[in-house]
Each structure stands twice: as structure tokens, then as C-alpha cells.
Amino acid sequence: MTRAVLSLGSNLGDRRAHLRAAVALLGDSVTATSGVYETPPWGDAGQPPYLNVVLIVEDASATARDWLERARACESAEGRVRDPERRFGPRTLDVDVIDVRSADGTPVTSDDEELTLPHPRAHLRAFVLRPWLDLEPDAVLPGHGSVAALLDVPETAADLAAMSPRPDLSLESME
């Protein structure tokens, strides 16, 4: 079995619907869903704000590559178009594989150009770390340390201050 941490974000169209669709597509593999956060765009300020969540997913037969393929399938189903000219541009849905663990809890590492594990920039992204911390207060990002401690460094603290919890946008409720 593998267990993965996935980060989802959307800033185009019905943002909440895109996130909910991804959760539905991932189905029974989803074991935990963080609350929703509204966050300023990262890396390219000329776009709408994002809604972000983190999921914990598990599957007895999934590999790290399988999680990447499932992430891309969710993005495709929600109409994600990759713009090679605008790396951090707006998107209907972005799903990143942040961390994968084997059945015994050992971190899976990868230097593949399509799938670097752990995610190479997760330690800099409050929109990944804060929702993950909500799900796992003792979470550790391999190679970087405690997720809680990572939120206290200057590179993430300013981004954390700009995030807004959105309890009114729960992915579980049908409101």
C-alpha cells in the first residue's frame, strides 16, 4: 500500500466544484480532506485567488507514478490546460503529489523529471503546509523537517498570513 499527500488548487471557474470533482474522482482512496483555504496566487500575481486543500489518499496497489497519473486524470477531467509560457498561471485544477509513503511508512523518493518526491517546492508553500498540518499535526516533509516548523520560517510566514480559512466552502457539504 502507498499513502500520499496531494495538494489541490483551483482559481478558474467554479473553484469549489473543481476541487469537489477531484475528490469524487479519487473516490474511496481519499482518507482525509483538509478544510478549504483561499490564497493569493503564488509565483504570478496577475490572476485570481486560489482555493486550496490537501488530501490524504491510500491505495493498496498504487505506486508513486500511479498517484501522478491519477492527479493528471483529475486535472484533465476538469479541463486543465497547461500553458508552457506561463508556468504558475491560472488553472481550473492543479493537483500536486507532495509526499508518498510505502506501506511501512518509508518515504518514497524520486528524481524523475515528471515526478520529484518529495515535492521540491512544498517546503516553501504555505498553501500546502497549512492544510496538511490541519490533517496531521506531526507531519514531516522528508528532507525539510516538521511541517509546523516550516510554517514559521520567513519564506512561508508571509504567505501564511495572507491565507484565509474558508469553512463556508466545505467540500463535504452540498450547500
Side-chain angles (χ1 to χ4, degrees):
M1 169 172 44
T2 61
R3 178 183 175 286
V5 176
L6 304 179
S7 174
L8 286 68
S10 175
N11 75 335
L12 291 178
D14 188 338
R15 301 173 302 166
R16 181 180 181 207
H18 294 306
L19 297 175
R20 292 177 83 182
V23 171
L25 284 167
L26 292 162
D28 292 339
S29 67
V30 177
T31 61
T33 305
S34 75
V36 176
Y37 287 83
E38 189 158 31
T39 62
W42 196 91
D44 181 346
Q47 57 183 309
Y50 277 82
L51 291 182
N52 292 100
V53 299
V54 164
L55 306 178
I56 306 296
V57 292
E58 295 182 2
D59 187 318
S61 62
T63 65
R65 174 67 56 181
D66 292 332
W67 291 121
L68 177 63
E69 289 173 7
R70 292 176 190 187
R72 287 180 174 170
C74 290
E75 292 174 345
S76 179
E78 291 305 297
R80 165 88 186 260
V81 176
R82 293 184 183 275
D83 181 352
E85 302 298 317
R86 197 171 181 195
R87 181 174 180 191
F88 297 114
R91 53 208 58 187
T92 55
L93 182 66
D94 183 43
V95 182
D96 288 331
V97 181
I98 304 301
D99 182 45
V100 177
R101 305 290 173 117
S102 64
D104 67 1
T106 302
V108 175
T109 59
S110 172
D111 288 329
D112 184 288
E113 78 177 42
E114 288 188 322
L115 179 63
T116 303
L117 290 171
H119 190 286
R121 291 170 299 284
H123 67 287
L124 300 171
R125 295 181 172 166
F127 65 83
V128 171
L129 301 171
R130 177 69 247 177
W132 186 5
L133 187 65
D134 289 349
L135 297 176
E136 297 181 326
D138 296 326
V140 173
L141 181 63
H144 297 282
S146 157
V147 168
L150 290 169
L151 284 167
D152 287 334
V153 299
E155 294 85 1
T156 57
D159 290 340
L160 179 62
M163 293 175 62
S164 301
R166 294 294 307 268
D168 58 311
L169 297 178
S170 167
L171 298 185
E172 283 100 25
S173 74
M174 296 304 289
E175 299 172 23

